[in-house]
Amino acid sequence: MIVYIDMDDVLCNFTEAFNQALALNPAIRFPQSQYRFFTALAPKEGAIEAVSALLASDRYDPYILTAPSVKNPLCYTEKRVWVGDHLGMEMVERLIICRNKSLLKGDYLIDDNVTGRRQEAFEGQLLHFGSAEYPDWRAVRDYLSV
Ligand SMILES: [Mg+2]
């Protein structure tokens, strides 16, 4: 089964870094447009282990499916660097950067947003990361039995 995994606030802690950057410089309008913003993001708790478990499972075929911050051209490269640094080349080869998540065929999409990047039109099952049902990686792994 093909599983797509979102990056921001699913694999990496986007919101925490966003709020920290705003606290340091309240005048900044787009903290995510700063050089090295994406490479410096911290992994979410349990995310690295969950990807490893999905890769090791013979039932799942995991891919990363992330929408770019289009106003920051560096974000495309920085997302690739982050995946290489934290997850390795096997996941770099499984990195998909796409603004319309409904275009990809698969069984599951793990995403903290249910709309905005056409998540609602994804043909498989959307696991709403951070919701009451799937609050964290432990809950997602329990559901997928991995
Ligand atoms: Mg996200």
Side-chain angles (χ1 to χ4, degrees), residues 6-10 101 111-113 119:
D6 176 39
M7 279 186 80
D8 296 328
D9 288 327
V10 175
K101 296 188 178 184
D111 205 305
D112 64 306
N113 287 309
Q119 293 95 334

PDB file of all heavy atoms in Angstrom, residues 6-10 101 111-113 119, ligand 1:
ATOM      1  N   ASP A   6       3.158  13.893   4.533  1.00  0.00           N
ATOM      2  CA  ASP A   6       3.410  15.327   4.449  1.00  0.00           C
ATOM      3  C   ASP A   6       4.678  15.670   5.249  1.00  0.00           C
ATOM      4  O   ASP A   6       5.077  14.910   6.143  1.00  0.00           O
ATOM      5  CB  ASP A   6       2.178  16.052   5.012  1.00  0.00           C
ATOM      6  CG  ASP A   6       2.342  17.553   5.072  1.00  0.00           C
ATOM      7  OD1 ASP A   6       2.927  18.133   4.137  1.00  0.00           O
ATOM      8  OD2 ASP A   6       1.875  18.148   6.079  1.00  0.00           O
ATOM      9  N   MET A   7       5.299  16.802   4.945  1.00  0.00           N
ATOM     10  CA  MET A   7       6.482  17.202   5.719  1.00  0.00           C
ATOM     11  C   MET A   7       6.147  18.182   6.850  1.00  0.00           C
ATOM     12  O   MET A   7       6.327  17.862   8.015  1.00  0.00           O
ATOM     13  CB  MET A   7       7.555  17.835   4.800  1.00  0.00           C
ATOM     14  CG  MET A   7       8.391  16.812   4.054  1.00  0.00           C
ATOM     15  SD  MET A   7       9.755  17.537   3.118  1.00  0.00           S
ATOM     16  CE  MET A   7      10.985  17.801   4.393  1.00  0.00           C
ATOM     17  N   ASP A   8       5.683  19.380   6.501  1.00  0.00           N
ATOM     18  CA  ASP A   8       5.524  20.438   7.505  1.00  0.00           C
ATOM     19  C   ASP A   8       4.458  20.066   8.542  1.00  0.00           C
ATOM     20  O   ASP A   8       3.297  19.834   8.205  1.00  0.00           O
ATOM     21  CB  ASP A   8       5.175  21.767   6.832  1.00  0.00           C
ATOM     22  CG  ASP A   8       6.309  22.247   5.934  1.00  0.00           C
ATOM     23  OD1 ASP A   8       7.476  21.967   6.262  1.00  0.00           O
ATOM     24  OD2 ASP A   8       6.022  22.888   4.907  1.00  0.00           O
ATOM     25  N   ASP A   9       4.864  20.004   9.784  1.00  0.00           N
ATOM     26  CA  ASP A   9       4.031  19.666  10.942  1.00  0.00           C
ATOM     27  C   ASP A   9       3.564  18.209  10.953  1.00  0.00           C
ATOM     28  O   ASP A   9       2.634  17.859  11.683  1.00  0.00           O
ATOM     29  CB  ASP A   9       2.850  20.638  11.092  1.00  0.00           C
ATOM     30  CG  ASP A   9       3.331  22.007  11.564  1.00  0.00           C
ATOM     31  OD1 ASP A   9       4.310  22.055  12.332  1.00  0.00           O
ATOM     32  OD2 ASP A   9       2.756  23.021  11.138  1.00  0.00           O
ATOM     33  N   VAL A  10       4.221  17.383  10.141  1.00  0.00           N
ATOM     34  CA  VAL A  10       4.004  15.933  10.210  1.00  0.00           C
ATOM     35  C   VAL A  10       5.365  15.254  10.412  1.00  0.00           C
ATOM     36  O   VAL A  10       5.563  14.516  11.364  1.00  0.00           O
ATOM     37  CB  VAL A  10       3.290  15.400   8.956  1.00  0.00           C
ATOM     38  CG1 VAL A  10       3.192  13.870   9.000  1.00  0.00           C
ATOM     39  CG2 VAL A  10       1.887  16.006   8.854  1.00  0.00           C
ATOM     40  N   LYS A 101      -2.087  17.654  -4.083  1.00  0.00           N
ATOM     41  CA  LYS A 101      -1.867  16.307  -3.547  1.00  0.00           C
ATOM     42  C   LYS A 101      -2.873  15.288  -4.073  1.00  0.00           C
ATOM     43  O   LYS A 101      -2.679  14.097  -3.885  1.00  0.00           O
ATOM     44  CB  LYS A 101      -1.849  16.354  -2.020  1.00  0.00           C
ATOM     45  CG  LYS A 101      -0.668  17.199  -1.502  1.00  0.00           C
ATOM     46  CD  LYS A 101      -0.488  17.136  -0.002  1.00  0.00           C
ATOM     47  CE  LYS A 101       0.737  17.968   0.397  1.00  0.00           C
ATOM     48  NZ  LYS A 101       1.057  17.891   1.826  1.00  0.00           N
ATOM     49  N   ASP A 111      -1.492  13.801   6.669  1.00  0.00           N
ATOM     50  CA  ASP A 111      -1.325  15.245   6.482  1.00  0.00           C
ATOM     51  C   ASP A 111      -1.990  15.986   7.636  1.00  0.00           C
ATOM     52  O   ASP A 111      -3.047  15.561   8.107  1.00  0.00           O
ATOM     53  CB  ASP A 111      -1.961  15.665   5.143  1.00  0.00           C
ATOM     54  CG  ASP A 111      -1.354  16.927   4.565  1.00  0.00           C
ATOM     55  OD1 ASP A 111      -1.334  17.954   5.280  1.00  0.00           O
ATOM     56  OD2 ASP A 111      -0.909  16.895   3.413  1.00  0.00           O
ATOM     57  N   ASP A 112      -1.377  17.090   8.068  1.00  0.00           N
ATOM     58  CA  ASP A 112      -1.989  17.880   9.140  1.00  0.00           C
ATOM     59  C   ASP A 112      -3.043  18.841   8.600  1.00  0.00           C
ATOM     60  O   ASP A 112      -3.766  19.456   9.385  1.00  0.00           O
ATOM     61  CB  ASP A 112      -0.922  18.665   9.916  1.00  0.00           C
ATOM     62  CG  ASP A 112      -0.212  19.692   9.055  1.00  0.00           C
ATOM     63  OD1 ASP A 112       0.319  19.302   7.995  1.00  0.00           O
ATOM     64  OD2 ASP A 112      -0.203  20.872   9.419  1.00  0.00           O
ATOM     65  N   ASN A 113      -3.120  18.977   7.288  1.00  0.00           N
ATOM     66  CA  ASN A 113      -4.161  19.806   6.684  1.00  0.00           C
ATOM     67  C   ASN A 113      -5.071  18.940   5.824  1.00  0.00           C
ATOM     68  O   ASN A 113      -4.591  18.080   5.075  1.00  0.00           O
ATOM     69  CB  ASN A 113      -3.549  20.910   5.808  1.00  0.00           C
ATOM     70  CG  ASN A 113      -2.916  22.012   6.644  1.00  0.00           C
ATOM     71  OD1 ASN A 113      -3.537  22.554   7.555  1.00  0.00           O
ATOM     72  ND2 ASN A 113      -1.673  22.320   6.354  1.00  0.00           N
ATOM     73  N   GLN A 119      -5.973  18.055  -0.601  1.00  0.00           N
ATOM     74  CA  GLN A 119      -6.001  16.819   0.196  1.00  0.00           C
ATOM     75  C   GLN A 119      -7.392  16.190   0.168  1.00  0.00           C
ATOM     76  O   GLN A 119      -7.522  14.962   0.188  1.00  0.00           O
ATOM     77  CB  GLN A 119      -5.609  17.119   1.662  1.00  0.00           C
ATOM     78  CG  GLN A 119      -4.177  17.550   1.867  1.00  0.00           C
ATOM     79  CD  GLN A 119      -4.028  19.067   1.889  1.00  0.00           C
ATOM     80  OE1 GLN A 119      -4.820  19.814   1.314  1.00  0.00           O
ATOM     81  NE2 GLN A 119      -2.968  19.528   2.534  1.00  0.00           N
TER      82      GLN A 119
HETATM   83 MG    MG B   1       1.729  20.088   6.676  1.00  0.00          MG
END
